Amino acid sequence: MEFNSEVRPRRELMNPNFEGYKLSLRQVSTEKTELEHPAAVFTARQSEIQFLTLSLYAQHSLLFVDRWTSALYWFSQPNEETFELVTFNPNNNESSSLLQLPIPDNHALPTIHFPLSNVYFISYGDGSFAVYQGPDKKFSSAILQNEKDKDCKVVLVNDVKIDESKGLLYVAASYIRGKEAIVVLARFDKDGNFLASDEFKGGAICSFVAISNDYAITFISDKLYRHKCDDKAPEPKKILYKWRQNLNDLVLFFEFEKKVEKNEVKVSIRRNHLEVEIRDVKLEGELFQAIDPDQSSWEISPGGVEVTLEKAVERGWSQVYRDFDNGEEVYNKEFVDQVKGRLGHLTTESAMPEEAEKPGVDCNQYEDIDRETEFERSIFRFKDGDWTHKASLSSNLPLFWNYTTPTEKAVAMRHDVDACLWSSVTNDDRVPLGHVATFDAVGYIHAGKQNLAFINAPPNNGYVCICEQKRRILLYKHENLDTNLRHRGTGRKVNEIGRQQVVKIEDDDAFLGLQCNDDALFLLTKNSLWRVSPDEEGN
C-alpha cells in the first residue's frame, strides 16, 4: 500500500523554456443560439445552506457533453412540475427534447453520463437513476441503500463505468449525511439489482471523483476520508518541529515547555545534511536542497531551539528533509509575496509588448498561493476493499476536470507555475494518477484571477479557457509565434511563448455551464448557447 506515494510530474511533459503568454488582437469567432428549451437551474434549499451543501452544488455541472458523438445535453423545466432532457447537435445547431424525467424538484442534482457509445445513464439527483440503451430504458434503480440515508434528497453522481465482460455497473456519487461528506462506490448487475457498495466518510466535499478503467475509485479532498478498513491504516505522521521559509532561508522551531540548556543540544550543519539532537528529539538526514553552512546557525530561544538554514539556491522547499517529513510548515506571507514578484512576467494583458528584462524562473519553484489553507489536501485511491494509495498533494490545487477520452476522466492541478493534467488511468501501480499533459504557466494565471466562473480544456488539451463572471473568456494556447521579441540582456529571440486571446460575450444572463471539444467551446446561459471557436477568426 503506497501511503507515501508521490504525484510527481513526468519531466518530458514539462517545458522549462516557456517564456509566457502574449495578448493577441486576433478576433475569435463566436456564435449565439437562442434556446427553444431554456436551461433549468438547480439550487440548494434556503433551510439547508451550509458550507458542505454549497460545496456539493458547486461541483454540479448544468451542461453535459457526449464524448462519443459531441452532442450537448442540459435539463429544462417547461413548467413547475415537469423536467425534460434536452439535446443539442452542434453540427446543425438544432435542439430537441428527448425525455420527460421524474426529477423531484429544482433542488436536486441531476446528471447524465455516457459509459458506452450506445448507453446513457441519467441520475435524477436524489439517488435514483435510469439506464437507457438508445431510446429504450433498460432499468431503474437507486444508489443509496443504507437505512441512515432514507431521508437524503440530494445526491450528485460523479462518474459511471460499465464492465461489459462481467455485466456490472459501477456508480460513484457524493452526498451529505448530517455534518459529514460521503462518497459511495455502488455496484449493480446488468438488470439494475444492487450488489454492494463501499462508503467513504470525510469532512469536505471532494473536488474530484473518478472511476478508473480497473474499477478503482480515486478522489481528492481537503479533509481526510475514512473507510471501515482503516483499522489497518498506519499511524499519522508525528510532528517534531515547525518551520517557515522565504526564498533565501528557512527556520526550524523545536518547542519545549521547559527551557533547554546548551549541553542538551547537538546540531551539525553541512551543505546537504542536518543532524539535530535535543533531549528525546533526534533527526538526521539529507536536506531537501543544498544550503550554505557558513551562513547557517542555531540558537536557544525562550520557547525552545531555532535552527536557521541559508539556502544555496533561491527556491521554495516542499519539506526540510529529503527522505522523511516530520515537520509542519507555517504559512509565511513574505514568501508568497516574493514568489508572486518573480512570476509576474508570465502573462500580460497588453498587445505584444516589447520584452522587459525579467528574473529567471526555476521549474521547481513553488507557486504558494495555497499556503494559507489550514487543510491537508490529499488524494485517495481504493480498490477491492482496501486503500491502494493515500498521498499528500500539498499546495497542488485542483483547477478543473475533463475527459481525455469518452471514458477516461482526468484532473488538472497546479504544479509550481504550471497546471499538470493527471489521468485516473495509470499503468504505474506506484502512483495514484498518471501525468498526461501540461498547461504552461496556467497555475500561476489561475491564481491571479478573480471572479472566475469556469476553467476547462478540450480532450486533445490544445488550449485552456478561463471564463470570468464578467462576460469574458480568456483563451491560452501554446504556440511558437513568429515575433520580433528579444531579451534585452542577451538579445536572444523569444520563441517559446503562447497566445492569449480575450473573447467578450454580450449576454445579460449568468453563465451556467462550460464544455470544450477539440474544435470549439460551448457556454450555456439560461436562454442561450454560445459557441466559441479558438482557431476560427471572427469578423
Side-chain angles (χ1 to χ4, degrees):
M1 180 164 28
E2 297 289 342
F3 276 89
N4 295 314
S5 61
E6 294 183 87
V7 180
R8 180 175 294 179
R10 292 163 54 190
R11 186 177 298 273
E12 66 271 22
L13 294 181
M14 309 295 286
N15 182 7
N17 300 316
F18 185 67
E19 305 281 353
Y21 292 95
K22 302 303 175 187
L23 182 67
S24 170
L25 299 181
R26 179 182 177 185
Q27 297 296 311
V28 178
S29 174
T30 61
E31 182 180 357
K32 180 181 181 181
T33 301
E34 298 290 345
L35 301 184
E36 298 179 15
H37 309 273
V41 179
F42 299 89
T43 58
R45 292 176 174 85
Q46 190 69 29
S47 60
E48 297 179 352
I49 290 181
Q50 54 178 317
F51 179 75
L52 281 180
T53 306
L54 295 178
S55 298
L56 184 63
Y57 277 83
Q59 297 296 321
H60 184 228
S61 175
L62 294 174
L63 182 63
F64 306 88
V65 60
D66 181 353
R67 294 294 178 196
W68 305 94
T69 66
S70 295
L72 297 169
Y73 293 81
W74 63 87
F75 297 99
S76 184
Q77 188 178 14
N79 55 64
E80 291 186 0
E81 299 179 353
T82 305
F83 288 87
E84 58 187 11
L85 179 66
V86 178
T87 183
F88 178 85
N89 186 338
N91 296 322
N92 55 22
N93 291 351
E94 293 183 358
S95 63
S96 60
S97 175
L98 290 182
L99 300 166
Q100 288 195 352
L101 304 172
I103 296 173
D105 51 43
N106 62 355
H107 304 300
L109 292 175
T111 57
I112 180 169
H113 300 263
F114 309 91
L116 298 175
S117 61
N118 61 340
V119 173
Y120 54 100
F121 172 105
I122 301 177
S123 165
Y124 303 137
D126 61 349
S128 58
F129 66 87
V131 173
Y132 286 79
Q133 187 161 10
D136 302 321
K137 182 190 290 187
K138 294 186 64 178
F139 59 80
S140 299
S141 191
I143 299 167
L144 305 187
Q145 302 287 329
N146 194 320
E147 182 67 20
K148 293 183 291 186
D149 298 321
K150 62 180 181 179
D151 296 326
C152 182
K153 299 178 181 179
V154 181
V155 179
L156 175 64
V157 173
N158 303 105
D159 202 6
V160 177
K161 287 283 192 301
I162 291 180
D163 184 347
E164 292 185 275
S165 63
K166 297 181 179 179
L168 297 177
L169 169 70
Y170 293 79
V171 182
S174 301
Y175 62 100
I176 299 169
R177 179 193 296 155
K179 296 183 178 181
E180 285 188 312
I182 308 294
V183 174
V184 62
L185 176 63
R187 296 178 290 283
F188 303 83
D189 67 16
K190 60 183 178 61
D191 298 317
N193 298 309
F194 174 82
L195 298 177
S197 66
D198 284 297
E199 182 182 287
F200 311 91
K201 303 176 183 179
I205 299 299
C206 293
S207 52
F208 176 74
V209 181
I211 305 172
S212 60
N213 287 1
D214 62 353
Y215 308 106
I217 184 172
T218 304
F219 51 97
I220 296 172
S221 172
D222 282 343
K223 291 288 186 70
L224 294 177
Y225 265 73
R226 306 178 304 280
H227 184 266
K228 61 184 180 181
C229 73
D230 282 347
D231 55 350
K232 299 177 290 184
E235 295 182 0
K237 181 177 73 174
K238 184 177 182 181
I239 301 298
L240 300 179
Y241 58 90
K242 295 182 179 180
W243 64 289
R244 73 166 186 262
Q245 67 173 319
N246 57 38
L247 286 176
N248 303 307
D249 58 41
L250 61 86
V251 180
L252 288 75
F253 304 91
F254 295 88
E255 299 177 335
F256 297 92
E257 292 184 2
K258 296 182 179 181
K259 183 179 179 181
V260 177
E261 301 296 335
K262 186 174 181 180
N263 60 5
E264 296 180 289
V265 182
K266 177 184 177 182
V267 177
S268 174
I269 303 174
R270 302 199 295 272
R271 181 171 176 80
N272 295 99
H273 189 273
L274 175 64
E275 179 182 359
V276 177
E277 186 174 338
I278 311 170
R279 293 178 180 168
D280 59 344
V281 175
K282 296 181 180 181
L283 293 167
E284 182 179 4
E286 183 181 358
L287 291 168
F288 185 76
Q289 297 286 348
I291 62 168
D292 183 350
D294 294 333
Q295 299 298 318
S296 302
S297 62
W298 65 272
E299 65 177 349
I300 296 176
S301 64
V305 177
E306 296 184 9
V307 179
T308 302
L309 303 179
E310 184 78 14
K311 297 176 182 178
V313 178
E314 294 183 359
R315 65 173 57 164
W317 290 21
S318 60
Q319 58 193 50
V320 176
Y321 288 95
R322 178 174 295 277
D323 297 325
F324 58 89
D325 181 14
N326 293 107
E328 178 183 345
E329 184 177 6
V330 179
Y331 167 71
N332 183 10
K333 186 176 185 300
E334 177 190 4
F335 181 39
V336 175
D337 293 340
Q338 285 178 334
V339 175
K340 284 182 178 179
R342 292 183 63 127
L343 304 181
H345 67 279
L346 283 175
T347 180
T348 67
E349 293 199 9
S350 58
M352 296 298 184
E354 185 169 343
E355 185 67 16
E357 193 167 350
K358 55 183 184 284
V361 177
D362 192 295
C363 65
N364 292 319
Q365 189 176 54
Y366 267 61
E367 201 295 300
D368 285 277
I369 295 299
D370 299 312
R371 287 181 180 268
E372 296 180 69
T373 180
E374 61 178 295
F375 304 131
E376 173 65 23
R377 183 174 298 118
S378 301
I379 183 167
F380 305 86
R381 193 172 189 271
F382 187 93
K383 182 183 180 184
D384 297 334
D386 205 352
W387 300 108
T388 63
H389 298 79
K390 285 185 180 180
S392 173
L393 293 178
S394 186
S395 60
N396 294 331
L397 175 70
L399 304 181
F400 65 90
W401 60 264
N402 64 1
Y403 282 92
T404 55
T405 72
T407 61
E408 184 176 332
K409 197 171 182 180
V411 58
M413 291 189 289
R414 183 182 303 157
H415 178 79
D416 300 339
V417 299
D418 299 324
C420 294
L421 188 69
W422 303 88
S423 171
S424 57
V425 177
T426 174
N427 296 321
D428 188 346
D429 292 336
R430 296 171 298 175
V431 295
L433 296 172
H435 183 200
V436 294
T438 302
F439 303 106
D440 297 314
V442 168
Y444 172 76
I445 293 169
H446 178 272
K449 300 298 181 185
Q450 296 180 347
N451 300 319
L452 295 183
F454 306 102
I455 175 172
N456 214 327
N460 69 358
N461 306 315
Y463 62 90
V464 171
C465 61
I466 296 178
C467 177
E468 297 179 342
Q469 294 178 350
K470 295 183 178 180
R471 307 299 181 264
R472 286 203 317 172
I473 297 177
L474 306 175
L475 301 175
Y476 295 91
K477 188 171 184 178
H478 187 174
E479 299 176 320
N480 291 328
L481 301 179
D482 185 15
T483 73
N484 293 321
L485 298 176
R486 293 184 179 274
H487 283 279
R488 287 182 176 176
T490 64
R492 178 178 58 84
K493 188 174 181 181
V494 176
N495 292 317
E496 293 287 332
I497 62 175
R499 182 189 301 275
Q500 175 190 3
Q501 294 174 290
V502 180
V503 183
K504 292 186 178 180
I505 301 296
E506 303 295 335
D507 201 312
D508 294 329
D509 290 336
F511 296 151
L512 300 179
L514 175 72
Q515 290 289 352
C516 301
N517 63 29
D518 294 344
D519 301 318
L521 63 94
F522 295 88
L523 187 65
L524 179 72
T525 69
K526 184 173 182 59
N527 297 294
S528 306
L529 184 70
W530 289 83
R531 177 186 180 126
V532 178
S533 304
D535 292 327
E536 294 182 11
E537 191 167 357
N539 296 326

